[in-house]
Amino acid sequence: MSLAIATESVAESEEEPLVPPSATDASITALIADPLLVRGAGRSWWIATAIAAALTLVTIIAIWRLLAEGIGLLGNNTTVVWGVPIANYVWWIGIGNAGTLISALLLLTRQRWRASINRFAEGMTLFAVSIAGLFPILHLGRPEYFYWLAPYPNTMTLWPQWRSALVWDFWAIVSYLLFSIVFFYVGLVPDLATLRDRSKSLRTRRIYGAFALGWRGSARQWRLHQALYSTMAALAVPLVCSVHSIVGLDFAASLMPGWQETIFPPYFVVGAMFSGFAMVVLLAAAMRWGFGFQQIVTVRHFEAMALIILASSLIMTLSYSTEWFSGWYSGKAAERGEIAFAFTGSYAPLFWAQLFCNCAAPQILCWPRMRRSLTALVLVSLAILVGMWLERILIIWNTLSHGFLPSMRHLFLPTLEDGLLVIAPLGFFAMLFLIFVRVLPAISMHEMRQLLHERTRP
Amino acid sequence: MTAKLALSRRKALELLAAQTALLVAGCSRPREEIVPYVRMPERMVPGVPLQFATTLDLGGYGRGVVVSSIEGRPIKIEGNPMHPASLGATDAFAEAEIFSLYDPDRSQAVRRSGEIGNWAAFLDALQPRLLELAPTQGEGLRLLTGPIGSPTLMRQIMALRQRFPRLGWHRHDPLEDQAAREGARMAFDRPVTALPRLADADVVVSLDADPLGAGPLQIINARGFAANRQARRGAEKIGRLYAVESAPTLTGANADHRLALPPGDIASVAIAIARALGAALPEAALSPEAAGFASELARDLTAHEGRALVLAGPTLAPDVHALCCWVNAQLRAPIDYFEPDDRAQPSSLADLVRDCAAGKVESLLILGCNPGYDAPPNLRFHEAIRNVDFRAHLGCCFDETAALCEWHIPQSHILESWSDLVAPDGAASLVQPLIEPLYDTRTAHEVLAALDGSVASARDLVRDTWKASAPAGDFEDWWRRSLHDGIIAGSVGKPVSGLSPKLPQLKSRPADKLTVVLRPDPCVYDGSFANNAWLQELPKPLTKEVWGNSIGIAAPDAAGLGIVDGDVLRLTANGRSVEAPIRIGSGHAPGVLSLALGYGRTAAGRVGTGVGANAYLLRADASWAIGGVVATPTGERRPLVSTQKHFSLDGEASELFPTFTLEQFRASQGNAKEAQLPSFFSPPAGSGARWGMVIDTTLCIGCNACVVACQSENNSPVIGPEEIAAGRDMHWLRIDAYQIGSSESPRTGFQPVPCMHCETAPCEPVCPTGASVHDSEGLNVQVYNRCIGTRFCEANCPYKVRRFNFFGYADGQEYRDLGADVMRAHNNPDVTVRARGVMEKCTYCVQRISRARHAADKEDRLISDGEVVTACQSACPTRAISFGDLSRSEASVSALGKQPQHYSLLRHLDTKPRTTYLAQVRDINPRLEGKTG
Amino acid sequence: MAQIFGPGADTVARGVLAGIAAAPFAFVAFCYALASSPHVTDEGVTVTQPVPFSHEHHVGGLGIDCRFCHNGVETSPVAAVPPTETCMNCHSQIWTHAAMLEPVRQSLASGDPIHWRQVNRLPDYVYFDHSVHIAKGVGCTTCHGEVERMPLMRQSAPLTMQWCLDCHRNPAPNLRDLGEVFATDWRAPADQDERGKRLMVEYHIHVDNLTDCSVCHR
């Protein structure tokens, strides 16, 4: 439904071009490729990378401490056995969903504006999912045995316990990661060829060449490529939905008040898209500014994304209220108590903050001028990213700290380690992304050219 | 935390080492060694535990126990059914002795003014003195002991008196109830100690007494109490317990009616009762409510003459005790009075201090007591003892008193000693060593022998004592039987008969504005258990506080002072002050503060030193209620560390702990509500046994014996106050305390919560590795070696009974010095010591089940009912826990399951727990209903 | 523009792609092979001992019963390695001066035990009970192999969980009459199939709960 809105809006503002009228194949290609091949990294890039690297180091130290000392370093306790790593995991996997979703869904629904954002959105997906994948392992008491979740022949004749949502999770993440890599790579091949042909030094040509797999741009190759790419896109959509549904089941497949709810899978998917688009907006804005992509990442792009965010926000709000209603309607003391605790209990301030960030703040986008104002959009996106993290941590804290037996009600007291695990990985993510934009075309050149072509054709 | 940091380095190196090892040596493991005996000790079969009967000491009284020892290591203590003070059950202290035995902080060598010395050197120093003493008949030689329950020790002291007629013996018991002693003397003109028979009392009135609280009588009284709490359809026997007390006690918590009054008014209640029984006494002022309560007590007591009982507590004055003796006599109350064995006429610590100050004491021997810590400060023990020029101390650890003495001699732990002890009813039993002394230690017997110039072994000394009194016939047979049974046949004392108490003259006392009531601590008792980490981490029955003590205070008083939980309060009395955080506790009388003794040790050891506040500092003499206290908030805050924070059961939650009045119980037609719920789950498969547990909340008095028993049996680690403050704990069995009824005078209900072993366990489907699985006998087992620590099981456990090793609590990251090698010896070899990152929980003592199963299999029979006894079940003094095979209709658990008050926790979740409960049934006095909850 | 790759490049590329696809499977297969190999299980590894005690001589040659030394095997979870004095019962009479027995004499004289090196090792979290296996007709050699032919002791079974489970799922092939449990030369008779079935019934062995985790792990 959100997409429908987007389509219309884009149709309406047809006068506004997705690519500058003056643009030619050559100019577009140059615009995107030159930062990699000709121009060196600017000072801002180096500063950003330095900061990101520092945070990456912090991430590594935090993880090492965790492995050496034990997860007792985290604030988890007997009652609230889950905590920050799980929330981070859900949050990152949510971010990771948007990339493939944008590419695939928008490709299938012929959203032409997708061309200039899908590449780095997919990049974002890869990095986010890999980071997300770390947390379930880090939160284990004995991380060294994480592979026991995989079925493999062993001398104990033991298998994973298939009924556990965590095992489904394992498969969801692994398959999603593998798929995203391939999808990303397939989309990349023609551009790698372009880079191969444009780069001056033999070394870079060899490297790009090797990965270009001998792409020549023949009609046959293009046909095969298109076929493969759209097939994968078709496969991607259900996969994307399955991933976060299964994450939702980690909670829903339990009997704890506030978790045991059928609404979780769908609303986790929307939540993922929600936070994912927020992150895309941030990255798009950053690159637009960093590379001077003003002509190809236009206000129209942001407007379209703003509409999707607005729509998702409405859906989220609806889901929340459904959750509260069904909790109340169930008539169970535990369920009602849990909801009351969320609104009035120890974590109420965070809960209200969450509602503000996810439900209230995005509403300013109903206002066309706000949809077209980058600042507003960026601020809203930031709010959403915070709000969605709060949502995930509160799903855990509220339910676990307010269980069935009053005698076992304890609060979660975050520790330094918790804090590090929240902040530092952002730097790691940033570093991966910064490197990515330096070695690969952050915007799909061949699809931009295609866009250009379609425009010039009567 | 420093320990942690140190560890992280070690861990890192380990990892490094392990990694390199893998690289070079591929996967080959280092070979383990098998080290057999050179000569096999007789009757020992490696791998099979042996049981020995012995006796443990508490406050000078013996509690008979049976100790399991495997390959020479004592690992578990259980009650001795043949012993009158144990009756097959234990208390927390008895269970924890194992931990004390292996305590790394135990004193290991003789010390002379701090320097390491040896026993020979001590003897050399002693001999010349003895020679000097001989002519003066022992003038200036003094002996200071704790309460002595050992006939042999008594005999030795008498013998010493023969040699040194002027020898002075002083007895110091910090928990002595002097009021009771003097009261008895007042009433009967002779010193007698009272032993109530609660089993024979239908109506019990406790006036600030705590018969169910910690102490040498706890097990006996609890069993007697339980005898009158049998809520069984058909065979019901339910008595009534009233408590009038100044501050909460276990007795008050288990009372059917409880009234909180300051000690002064409690005396008035006693007077009111006496008047109702015809005592010619002036009326004492009482509030209408209290007066009404008192008259109702009198009515109910007289209505049950012959089966009614009044108990007075240490906070009451001697004359009130005497009055209660009179009342009991009028009621023909079921109490036995015994003559204490005071042949050697001990004198008090005060006398000793006076003589020391006067320079009359040249040589002082302190045997196994710790006045350096627990002497009333007004005696100025520290200053006085400096005037003594030869000071020797025998003690298990180098404690506060040892520091005051020139010589310190390490004392053997009771599980390393030969001795004998007498139970409250006079029944004697032998103490036999389970293990050779771990260090170069001596028993009190050996030290006294040395004083007597002989070098007899403790064993011979004990045998000599009994050779005299043993019946004619072969002494060796008698000796062996006595050792085997753990009780000396026919040694039960004869109650004094024909006592006629006279009505005492009552002194009137001014009422105090603010009173501090002292209590022995339910965990560290008088402080002698302060270095026992099991007991330090044991949640206190009523507050669930651990690792320290706090000042209990009534809500209005706290409001008056403008303080809340955790604010530090300074109490000043007798010129000394103590600072401790407060805990607002319902059930405190207005103007009454409570504080537990036994904390604030300065030389207990690495675990117990500096924990909590030392309440002894407030004392003048051995007083239990200290009037005229000044309380001033310091503005400081010390968060209270406890394992349970919410005690109230409001609204729907009250179904977690249903309660029945006797009428409701009689009226209720079977447990209709236990009818099967509709369920998606198919009935459990599997032939064989269906293990189940039933816990009777009417009987549970919350004494904690089961908790320590479980910890001891199942190698549960201690994690320390920081971890508990973080909301973690490792007890497999916890006792939830809930407050039911009105908030000003609530009734406390105790609900022990082990794993429920649900037939449709929520923890099982969520475990990704199948570490949490069912076995065919219905146990919900946790396979540690398959667990990777996702903690999904605990997240999904509605009862939150699973415990997670966030650190290597028993695996390289132990608390303080608990990782010492000697500590490993206390572990039960039949139970895995869990590694870091692994989930664990109650197993229904699966090791005991499988031992029974193997025994049965080998004899090709079925396991008989009662053959498997879980650790918690065997410890329980009231027998509140039953365990057995639900598939057998004759099994006790099956019978209890048919009781009308039977219910299962959170049954609407359809988890089908195998651990179920019997709701609390209480005999409410309709006349008082509503008034006092 | 010069070519940047040689003619073989395609083949290499295909190879690499194929390799990437195959690698995980190859890795798992390798690990499994390694885990079940003697490198890890120690199956068949002969262990040198401080005293070169020969079961071949004592059991095979002299025909001494297992229980003479391992006297706990019928009553205790552990079979028990005999104390030094058991050795000296005989060797105070025969071979009193044999050099190879010096450590034994030393041990008895000094009271320091002999440090034997463990041959059959189960992980600490496995609670194996010899006595119940003996009582249910599982013979010594079923797990310990033909000790009467071992000059030095070696582990003759993999002792993996898989191996344990094979028997716990279907004990019949390994069940003997109680008289034959300690027979070191026992070979499964021709009619073992119905023997096994009969003994299963006689010994009341129920396979359904023999594979419970709690049977071996606590």
Side-chain angles (χ1 to χ4, degrees):
Chain A
M1 132 204 204
S2 58
L3 301 162
I5 300 175
T7 343
E8 290 160 17
S9 77
V10 178
E12 283 160 13
S13 53
E14 199 49 71
E15 73 288 345
E16 200 175 340
L18 284 163
V19 282
S22 60
T24 65
D25 287 4
S27 71
I28 291 280
T29 313
L31 180 66
I32 300 171
D34 286 355
L36 311 182
L37 302 174
V38 185
R39 271 184 276 131
R43 192 147 104 281
S44 49
W45 186 88
W46 282 112
I47 296 169
T49 313
I51 299 167
L55 281 170
T56 310
L57 190 65
V58 177
T59 319
I60 293 167
I61 293 169
I63 291 177
W64 183 80
R65 265 165 49 92
L66 210 56
L67 297 181
E69 284 278 324
I71 60 165
L73 291 180
L74 302 171
N76 303 29
N77 60 41
T78 305
T79 307
V80 190
V81 281
W82 283 357
V84 168
I86 297 290
N88 286 1
Y89 159 66
V90 181
W91 189 77
W92 280 106
I93 205 96
I95 305 285
N97 265 350
T100 316
L101 195 80
I102 290 170
S103 312
L105 211 47
L106 301 194
L107 176 74
L108 297 179
T109 51
R110 300 220 162 60
Q111 297 293 315
R112 284 154 62 247
W113 54 277
R114 126 192 206 287
S116 47
I117 59 167
N118 72 324
R119 171 67 46 76
F120 68 80
E122 288 168 31
M124 174 189 82
T125 292
L126 287 186
F127 308 140
V129 172
S130 345
I131 292 176
L134 283 179
F135 287 106
I137 298 177
L138 291 179
H139 110 292
L140 292 180
R142 301 203 292 172
E144 62 271 34
Y145 295 125
F146 76 94
Y147 62 88
W148 286 1
L149 266 68
Y152 62 93
N154 57 62
T155 57
M156 301 172 289
T157 60
L158 287 175
W159 296 107
Q161 205 275 106
W162 299 104
R163 292 177 301 168
S164 170
L166 294 185
V167 174
W168 315 338
D169 234 4
F170 175 83
W171 290 107
I173 301 169
V174 171
S175 46
Y176 184 59
L177 184 59
L178 291 177
F179 182 89
S180 306
I181 291 170
V182 178
F183 191 56
F184 178 66
Y185 181 64
V186 169
L188 202 52
V189 168
D191 284 2
L192 286 168
T194 317
L195 292 175
R196 173 196 61 198
D197 301 341
R198 290 177 69 93
S199 55
K200 304 282 170 289
S201 81
L202 183 64
R203 219 174 102 268
T204 41
R205 285 172 64 188
R206 275 178 176 278
I207 297 170
Y208 284 125
F211 284 98
L213 298 175
W215 175 271
R216 264 181 260 89
S218 68
R220 177 163 171 282
Q221 284 181 334
W222 275 117
R223 202 183 70 251
L224 290 171
H225 182 267
Q226 287 304 324
L228 175 59
Y229 196 61
S230 35
T231 323
M232 290 192 80
L235 286 174
V237 178
L239 190 60
V240 173
C241 298
S242 78
V243 174
H244 229 61
S245 312
I246 288 176
V247 175
L249 289 176
D250 286 351
F251 301 98
S254 78
L255 51 59
M256 294 304 286
W259 281 7
Q260 190 186 27
E261 303 188 13
T262 46
I263 193 178
F264 264 40
Y267 113 69
F268 266 53
V269 173
V270 179
M273 194 168 72
F274 191 39
S275 55
F277 264 99
M279 184 60 97
V280 173
V281 166
L282 288 188
L283 296 176
M287 294 212 319
R288 189 168 191 260
W289 168 77
F291 287 105
F293 282 161
Q294 279 77 357
Q295 309 115 308
I296 49 176
V297 184
T298 66
V299 172
R300 240 183 88 194
H301 291 99
F302 286 101
E303 191 174 14
M305 293 195 277
L307 280 163
I308 294 183
I309 288 176
L310 179 57
S312 336
S313 159
L314 291 170
I315 302 178
M316 291 307 289
T317 318
L318 179 66
S319 319
Y320 290 153
S321 16
T322 318
E323 200 184 340
W324 303 327
F325 172 76
S326 55
W328 167 80
Y329 193 64
S330 74
K332 290 189 205 144
E335 291 281 350
R336 292 180 174 185
E338 198 271 333
I339 294 168
F341 181 74
F343 277 99
T344 61
S346 322
Y347 298 116
L350 295 178
F351 188 68
W352 289 105
Q354 168 202 331
L355 293 185
F356 171 78
C357 295
N358 296 349
C359 307
Q363 299 313 320
I364 67 165
L365 298 178
C366 302
W367 216 337
R369 270 190 52 250
M370 289 301 160
R371 288 205 293 272
R372 302 182 63 79
S373 135
L374 264 188
T375 350
L377 199 45
V378 166
L379 290 177
V380 169
S381 304
L382 282 171
I384 290 169
L385 288 171
V386 174
M388 287 310 288
W389 188 83
L390 286 175
E391 179 203 298
R392 274 66 184 261
I393 198 69
L394 287 180
I395 286 177
I396 296 168
W397 285 354
N398 278 333
T399 287
L400 289 183
S401 62
H402 198 269
F404 289 99
L405 299 188
S407 63
M408 284 302 283
R409 284 176 190 167
H410 291 284
L411 292 182
F412 182 103
L413 308 167
T415 63
L416 169 68
E417 188 74 8
D418 287 316
L420 294 182
L421 284 185
V422 176
I423 305 300
L426 291 168
F428 183 41
F429 175 77
M431 195 173 84
L432 291 171
F433 196 82
L434 284 160
I435 294 170
F436 156 71
V437 297
R438 286 298 303 159
V439 297
L440 292 173
I443 292 178
S444 169
M445 294 185 278
H446 67 91
E447 290 183 75
M448 287 308 290
R449 289 199 295 268
Q450 190 181 359
L451 203 59
L452 211 56
H453 181 64
E454 287 165 6
R455 187 197 61 186
T456 47
R457 190 183 323 104
Chain B
M1 220 44 218
T2 51
K4 291 265 176 58
L5 291 173
L7 258 158
S8 72
R9 198 181 71 258
R10 199 162 87 210
K11 230 353 175 233
L13 291 176
E14 280 173 16
L15 292 173
L16 194 66
Q19 185 189 16
T20 35
L22 277 176
L23 288 177
V24 295
C27 303
S28 66
R29 283 183 259 83
R31 289 251 161 221
E32 300 215 344
E33 285 185 332
I34 301 179
V35 184
Y37 286 88
V38 174
R39 292 191 175 73
M40 182 67 73
E42 63 173 319
R43 286 191 288 108
M44 175 179 289
V45 182
V48 180
L50 294 172
Q51 262 95 26
F52 298 94
T54 182
T55 315
L56 301 178
D57 183 11
L58 189 70
Y61 289 114
R63 277 123 67 246
V65 293
V66 176
V67 185
S68 307
S69 155
I70 183 130
E71 275 127 47
R73 288 187 291 124
I75 55 162
K76 181 75 175 74
I77 292 176
E78 288 181 304
N80 179 355
M82 303 180 74
H83 192 281
S86 157
L87 303 161
T90 56
D91 55 30
F93 308 119
E95 294 282 350
E97 284 291 357
I98 285 286
F99 213 60
S100 300
L101 168 65
Y102 297 110
D103 182 353
D105 289 332
R106 274 183 59 193
S107 172
Q108 306 184 6
V110 174
R111 294 205 220 177
R112 176 174 200 166
S113 29
E115 304 300 315
I116 300 289
N118 60 49
W119 176 245
F122 173 70
L123 291 182
D124 295 347
L126 190 63
Q127 287 318 322
R129 302 205 147 264
L130 295 176
L131 295 177
E132 291 165 24
L133 286 165
T136 64
Q137 298 195 320
E139 185 65 59
L141 172 61
R142 301 300 177 93
L143 218 55
L144 175 59
T145 69
I148 287 182
S150 159
T152 301
L153 210 55
M154 197 62 77
R155 180 181 63 84
Q156 285 182 286
I157 293 174
M158 299 299 285
L160 217 52
R161 276 274 174 80
Q162 301 293 324
R163 186 168 171 206
F164 303 114
R166 287 232 170 75
L167 163 77
W169 169 37
H170 304 266
R171 186 170 60 187
H172 164 58
D173 175 5
L175 299 188
E176 183 181 21
D177 185 352
Q178 278 175 346
R181 195 178 276 268
E182 288 161 27
R185 194 179 269 105
M186 236 185 252
F188 304 111
D189 299 318
R190 58 194 284 194
V192 288
T193 57
L195 181 61
R197 300 195 309 271
L198 293 184
D200 302 340
D202 295 342
V203 175
V204 178
V205 173
S206 159
L207 301 177
D208 224 359
D210 190 10
L212 300 182
L217 290 175
Q218 184 177 35
I219 301 173
I220 305 176
N221 289 339
R223 186 63 62 86
F225 171 76
N228 282 324
R229 277 292 185 284
Q230 297 300 319
R232 300 284 176 269
R233 182 46 68 82
E236 78 196 31
K237 184 169 185 310
I238 298 190
R240 214 175 257 167
L241 170 61
Y242 298 91
V244 184
E245 56 187 16
S246 47
T249 66
L250 269 188
T251 308
N254 289 286
D256 301 297
H257 294 283
R258 181 183 181 282
L259 183 63
L261 290 177
D265 297 5
I266 297 178
S268 311
V269 170
I271 293 170
I273 294 172
R275 283 169 52 86
L277 288 168
L281 292 168
E283 185 161 6
L286 269 178
S287 72
E289 185 200 13
F293 195 82
S295 62
E296 182 52 37
L297 291 186
R299 198 199 56 77
D300 213 355
L301 284 168
T302 40
H304 293 82
E305 187 180 341
R307 299 189 62 80
L309 183 58
V310 176
L311 299 168
T315 55
L316 301 180
D319 48 8
V320 181
H321 278 265
L323 184 61
C324 291
C325 293
W326 181 85
V327 168
N328 283 325
Q330 307 311 307
L331 293 168
R332 296 187 289 106
I335 299 187
D336 296 334
Y337 293 97
F338 291 92
E339 198 89 35
D341 177 5
D342 285 347
R343 282 170 289 160
Q345 299 97 17
S347 44
S348 72
L349 181 65
D351 304 338
L352 175 66
V353 172
R354 201 180 52 251
D355 294 356
C356 291
K360 291 193 202 145
V361 184
E362 283 142 22
S363 316
L364 172 63
L365 232 71
I366 304 176
L367 299 183
C369 61
N370 188 8
Y373 160 70
D374 56 25
N378 61 321
L379 295 183
R380 308 193 161 287
F381 176 81
H382 292 68
E383 293 80 356
I385 193 176
R386 286 196 167 54
N387 304 341
V388 181
D389 82 311
F390 181 84
R391 310 186 295 269
H393 164 260
L394 174 78
C396 270
C397 72
F398 193 83
D399 57 20
E400 294 84 349
T401 310
L404 295 171
C405 296
E406 177 191 10
W407 287 95
H408 164 72
I409 303 142
Q411 184 175 21
S412 308
H413 186 271
I414 191 149
L415 292 174
E416 302 169 327
S417 316
W418 281 103
S419 182
D420 44 13
L421 281 166
V422 172
D425 67 355
S429 55
L430 298 173
V431 176
Q432 64 174 323
L434 268 287
I435 184 173
E436 280 279 309
L438 295 170
Y439 316 109
D440 180 20
T441 55
R442 297 288 182 283
T443 62
H445 301 301
E446 288 157 323
V447 174
L448 280 189
L451 210 56
D452 209 357
S454 80
V455 288
S457 77
R459 179 169 181 272
D460 298 339
L461 289 165
V462 175
R463 285 166 59 89
D464 295 345
T465 310
W466 292 101
K467 278 203 178 101
S469 56
D474 181 358
F475 177 72
E476 291 307 324
D477 283 354
W478 177 90
W479 173 257
R480 218 172 287 112
R481 197 175 62 253
S482 306
L483 279 178
H484 173 274
D485 298 351
I487 181 75
I488 290 172
S491 61
V492 179
K494 218 173 129 305
V496 189
S497 55
L499 289 170
S500 57
K502 58 178 184 310
L503 197 59
Q505 295 310 316
L506 293 176
K507 295 186 232 52
S508 68
R509 285 172 204 71
D512 289 305
K513 203 170 128 293
L514 205 55
T515 313
V516 173
V517 174
L518 303 177
R519 305 268 190 221
D521 187 75
C523 299
V524 300
Y525 201 48
D526 59 354
S528 47
F529 292 98
N531 207 50
N532 187 309
W534 278 355
L535 293 174
Q536 283 283 11
E537 196 156 294
L538 184 62
K540 304 203 191 307
L542 295 170
T543 62
K544 297 300 163 189
E545 181 177 17
V546 294
W547 292 100
N549 58 348
S550 56
I551 298 169
I553 181 171
D557 294 347
L561 289 161
I563 46 176
V564 297
D565 277 0
D567 287 345
V568 174
L569 193 62
R570 181 188 296 111
L571 301 180
T572 312
N574 307 311
R576 272 167 213 74
S577 53
V578 170
E579 292 183 4
I582 69 147
R583 176 187 297 275
I584 295 171
S586 54
H588 282 80
V592 173
L593 310 179
S594 68
L595 186 58
L597 297 164
Y599 285 95
R601 294 281 307 267
T602 54
R606 279 166 284 188
V607 166
T609 299
V611 178
N614 181 358
Y616 286 109
L617 293 178
L618 293 173
R619 263 185 160 183
D621 305 321
S623 54
W624 287 90
I626 298 155
V629 178
V630 183
T632 46
T634 63
E636 188 195 346
R637 277 191 63 76
R638 266 179 239 158
L640 302 163
V641 185
S642 56
T643 57
Q644 183 181 346
K645 299 203 169 57
H646 304 271
F647 293 86
S648 64
L649 280 181
D650 34 18
E652 309 248 357
S654 57
E655 79 185 16
L656 297 174
F657 194 86
T659 52
F660 286 53
T661 65
L662 192 51
E663 290 66 31
Q664 291 166 330
F665 170 70
R666 292 195 177 118
S668 65
Q669 291 311 319
N671 38 16
K673 66 171 179 32
E674 279 293 306
Q676 272 310 313
L677 289 168
S679 170
F680 288 119
F681 299 104
S682 49
S687 58
R690 296 176 61 235
W691 299 111
M693 181 180 278
V694 179
I695 300 174
D696 188 343
T697 55
T698 310
L699 291 178
C700 177
I701 59 167
C703 73
N704 272 339
C706 52
V707 178
V708 189
C710 174
Q711 183 160 30
S712 173
E713 170 75 14
N714 294 303
N715 304 338
S716 305
V718 166
I719 64 179
E722 295 83 3
E723 287 295 290
I724 298 221
R728 302 163 184 173
D729 68 303
M730 293 306 280
H731 289 123
W732 284 2
L733 170 59
R734 66 172 196 266
I735 301 180
D736 288 346
Y738 289 121
Q739 295 189 333
I740 310 135
S742 66
S743 59
E744 65 280 355
S745 71
R747 225 161 46 197
T748 308
F750 296 105
Q751 184 174 55
V753 185
C755 175
M756 297 287 132
H757 291 272
C758 314
E759 283 171 8
T760 57
C763 50
E764 287 169 9
V766 296
C767 175
T769 57
S772 170
V773 289
H774 241 65
D775 79 2
S776 54
E777 298 188 335
L779 297 192
N780 164 253
V781 295
Q782 176 71 8
V783 189
Y784 309 124
N785 41 302
R786 182 64 177 166
C787 176
I788 63 174
T790 66
R791 309 189 293 296
F792 204 164
C793 50
E794 170 73 341
N796 202 29
C797 173
Y799 310 95
K800 294 283 176 274
V801 293
R802 300 177 147 256
R803 298 294 176 260
F804 186 70
N805 292 272
F806 285 98
F807 286 116
Y809 298 127
D811 174 35
Q813 290 169 300
E814 293 86 354
Y815 178 71
R816 296 280 166 93
D817 59 348
L818 300 184
D821 287 346
V822 61
M823 260 301 170
R824 308 205 180 290
H826 85 271
N827 283 332
N828 179 353
D830 285 345
V831 177
T832 308
V833 174
R834 281 79 61 186
R836 186 179 83 189
V838 167
M839 188 64 76
E840 58 182 71
K841 66 163 194 66
C842 160
T843 63
Y844 270 172
C845 287
V846 62
Q847 65 278 9
R848 294 183 176 211
I849 294 175
S850 79
R851 193 182 303 141
R853 188 193 296 116
H854 288 169
D857 281 356
K858 281 187 264 182
E859 295 159 26
D860 212 353
R861 58 174 174 84
L862 290 171
I863 303 174
S864 52
D865 185 35
E867 191 174 351
V868 181
V869 178
T870 64
C872 48
Q873 180 187 11
S874 85
C876 182
T878 60
R879 295 291 176 244
I881 302 177
S882 320
F883 180 79
D885 180 353
L886 293 165
S887 68
R888 311 259 198 92
S889 53
E890 80 277 13
S892 57
V893 277
S894 312
L896 292 175
K898 297 187 183 66
Q899 290 296 327
Q901 79 273 37
H902 178 263
Y903 74 103
S904 43
L905 206 49
L906 297 174
R907 67 186 287 276
H908 65 270
L909 295 176
D910 196 27
T911 52
K912 302 193 175 73
R914 282 280 176 92
T915 305
T916 53
Y917 295 88
L918 295 181
Q920 195 176 56
V921 180
R922 290 199 166 183
D923 181 12
I924 303 301
N925 180 338
R927 286 194 185 68
L928 289 173
E929 182 63 307
K931 281 212 201 83
T932 54
Chain C
M1 185 160 67
Q3 286 297 336
I4 50 173
F5 293 111
D10 265 9
T11 333
V12 177
R14 290 204 179 82
V16 171
L17 290 176
I20 291 172
F25 300 96
F27 178 72
V28 170
F30 170 77
C31 292
Y32 181 65
L34 185 67
S36 34
S37 74
H39 288 293
V40 175
T41 64
D42 286 349
E43 180 177 4
V45 174
T46 304
V47 186
T48 57
Q49 300 288 0
V51 181
F53 178 85
S54 164
H55 281 84
E56 183 180 41
H57 171 65
H58 291 84
V59 181
L62 307 173
I64 299 173
D65 187 287
C66 309
R67 286 161 291 184
F68 184 80
C69 299
H70 305 291
N71 53 4
V73 77
E74 286 172 301
T75 53
S76 163
V78 298
V81 169
T84 311
E85 61 186 353
T86 308
C87 311
M88 293 304 281
N89 284 344
C90 303
H91 288 294
S92 55
Q93 312 301 324
I94 52 172
W95 298 107
T96 47
H97 297 297
M100 68 166 63
L101 292 175
E102 186 50 29
V104 184
R105 292 190 292 270
Q106 273 298 331
S107 161
L108 193 71
S110 65
D112 305 333
I114 306 172
H115 288 240
W116 300 96
R117 297 176 66 212
Q118 191 177 31
V119 177
N120 295 283
R121 181 170 186 280
L122 292 175
D124 299 344
Y125 48 76
V126 176
Y127 292 85
F128 178 83
D129 188 320
H130 277 88
S131 57
V132 77
H133 286 83
I134 296 294
K136 296 296 177 188
V138 180
C140 306
T141 55
T142 304
C143 306
H144 293 291
E146 306 171 311
V147 287
E148 82 275 20
R149 299 201 187 156
M150 299 184 191
L152 277 179
M153 206 49 189
R154 68 172 181 276
Q155 174 184 329
S156 65
L159 301 188
T160 58
M161 181 164 154
Q162 190 166 25
W163 173 82
C164 296
L165 284 172
D166 289 344
C167 186
H168 272 224
R169 289 187 174 127
N170 174 24
N174 300 312
L175 295 183
R176 315 179 183 179
D177 291 317
L178 289 181
E180 299 173 322
V181 166
F182 298 98
T184 51
D185 54 358
W186 186 83
R187 301 283 178 282
D191 62 344
Q192 179 62 22
D193 294 359
E194 63 269 20
R195 261 165 172 270
K197 286 195 191 65
R198 175 173 54 81
L199 292 172
M200 291 273 285
V201 181
E202 262 180 39
Y203 298 150
H204 301 109
I205 299 174
H206 307 294
V207 184
D208 53 359
N209 53 19
L210 266 188
T211 50
D212 288 346
C213 301
S214 54
V215 168
C216 309
H217 303 298
R218 300 166 198 161

